[in-house]
């Protein structure tokens, strides 16, 4: 996928959209050669790449650093970048300056979490011709307010508010909305109501597409096993075994061999 227009075409054709997060050049080169539709340089980079406790610790410099690295590994896929914690709450001028930086680093579109208090800002940004992806449900930048990584929209009042917010984000000009950690039926209902595609994570199978954190789908963290993240590869064990084999070969003088040496 090269542009946001394909997001809409996929929804019209009832073709599912696949998105993975990506934070570095080497991974971007692999994703570039894959059939994955689009990449998200998520602020989850603060946790996955830097070991912080949550995404509140992501900042604009961090995001720009990762967007630039990903951009250098890609030649034909859409890059969406997260606007990090509070960057859209410091006035419209700062919002535009931050988005300008992310886009000059290589982002084609920007994701903003939440609807409450953001609709006017999002409208101004989309009216300026900048593609914005919304994000509803569990919005990790509000983790302290939400009180933990819990499924959102279980109560009917909460669910109604999520439906209302999704419509408002569409009206504000968002080209797509991430739905995170909400019940499958609610995600399906929102998806049916919207003209723009929904991308789910922990939101069941009824969204227009799915996003996973690359390191989760590659099984890189043996201690992180959320119900919604299927592991397509045993990255942790495979890499551990490779490291231990290298160690063993070094200790036994089996690496390097003569063919790996300059004679
Ligand atoms: O930062 C991120 O990885 C995200 C996804 C969970 C959608 O926002």
């Amino acid at each position: 996928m090269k542009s946001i227009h394909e997001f809409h075409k996929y929804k019209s054709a009832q073709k599912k959209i696949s998105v993975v997060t990506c934070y570095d050049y080497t991974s971007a080169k692999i994703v570039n050669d894959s059939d994955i539709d689009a990449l998200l340089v998520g602020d989850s980079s603060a946790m996955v790449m830097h070991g912080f406790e949550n995404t509140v610790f992501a900042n604009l410099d961090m995001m720009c650093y990762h967007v630039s690295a990903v951009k250098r590994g890609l030649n034909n896929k859409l890059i969406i970048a997260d606007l990090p914690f509070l960057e859209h709450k410091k006035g419209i001028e700062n919002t535009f300056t931050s988005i300008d930086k992310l886009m000059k680093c290589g982002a084609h579109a920007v994701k903003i979490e939440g609807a409450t208090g953001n609709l006017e800002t999002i409208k101004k940004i989309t009216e300026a011709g900048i593609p914005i992806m919304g994000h509803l449900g569990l919005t990790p930048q509000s983790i302290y307010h939400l009180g933990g990584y819990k499924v959102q929209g279980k109560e009917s009042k909460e669910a109604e508010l999520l439906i209302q917010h999704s419509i408002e984000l569409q009206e504000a000009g968002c080209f797509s909305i991430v739905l995170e950690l909400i019940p499958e039926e609610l995600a399906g209902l929102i998806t049916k109501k919207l003209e723009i595609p929904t991308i789910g994570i922990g939101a069941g199978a009824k969204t227009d597409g799915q996003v996973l954190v690359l390191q989760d789908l590659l099984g890189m963290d043996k201690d992180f096993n959320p119900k919604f993240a299927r592991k397509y590869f045993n990255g942790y064990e495979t890499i551990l075994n490779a490291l231990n084999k290298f160690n063993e070969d070094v200790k036994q003088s089996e690496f390097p061999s003569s063919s790996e040496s300059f004679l």
Side-chain angles (χ1 to χ4, degrees), residues 62-243:
M62 185 189 285
M63 293 307 297
C64 284
Y65 169 83
H66 290 295
V67 172
S68 307
V70 166
K71 175 71 181 170
R72 288 191 283 271
L74 281 186
N75 58 32
N76 66 356
K77 288 193 199 286
L78 186 76
I79 305 176
I80 305 152
D82 260 324
L83 194 61
F85 188 61
L86 293 185
E87 284 304 324
H88 52 299
K89 298 288 190 187
K90 300 174 191 166
I92 194 69
E93 214 168 297
N94 179 77
T95 308
F96 274 114
T97 306
S98 304
I99 291 176
D100 189 20
K101 282 187 185 155
L102 284 176
M103 295 186 85
K104 292 232 166 61
C105 290
H108 305 118
V110 172
K111 177 159 77 60
I112 292 180
E113 287 188 10
T116 306
N118 293 340
L119 295 172
E120 273 312 301
T121 304
I122 291 175
K123 196 159 178 282
K124 282 190 183 135
I125 304 166
T126 57
E127 280 172 358
I130 297 155
I132 295 292
M133 176 179 253
H135 186 155
L136 293 175
L138 190 284
T139 44
Q141 290 175 10
S142 311
I143 197 64
Y144 296 119
H145 172 72
L146 297 174
Y149 295 93
K150 302 175 200 156
V151 177
Q152 305 293 306
K154 278 178 154 174
E155 307 299 326
S156 64
K157 226 174 157 186
E158 239 191 0
E160 276 164 29
L161 194 62
L162 279 172
I163 295 168
Q164 183 196 319
H165 282 167
S166 67
I167 293 166
E168 287 170 345
L169 285 177
Q170 174 172 272
E171 284 168 355
C174 286
F175 73 93
S176 175
I177 301 177
V178 165
L179 298 176
E180 180 165 355
L181 228 52
I182 67 171
E184 182 172 54
E185 284 313 309
L186 175 60
L189 191 63
I190 292 173
T191 300
K192 270 201 180 143
K193 279 189 186 286
L194 296 184
E195 284 166 28
I196 57 173
T198 58
I199 308 295
I201 175 161
K206 296 181 177 171
T207 50
D208 296 306
Q210 297 289 330
V211 57
L212 277 181
V213 168
L214 185 63
Q215 282 74 0
D216 294 349
L217 84 82
L218 295 179
M220 300 293 278
D221 187 342
K222 71 173 175 28
D223 301 319
F224 188 63
N225 300 296
K227 175 183 164 103
F228 61 82
R230 186 181 298 175
K231 291 187 180 183
Y232 287 85
F233 183 64
N234 194 344
Y236 176 82
E237 221 172 278
T238 309
I239 292 173
L240 192 69
N241 290 342
L243 291 171

Side-chain angles (χ1 to χ4, degrees), residues 25-52:
Y25 167 76
T26 305
S27 306
K29 279 188 18 173
I30 301 174
V31 180
N32 186 67
D33 294 345
S34 77
D35 298 327
I36 294 291
D37 293 315
L39 289 85
L40 170 69
V41 183
D43 57 0
S44 50
S45 57
M47 302 168 77
V48 178
M49 301 303 284
H50 299 271
F52 285 112

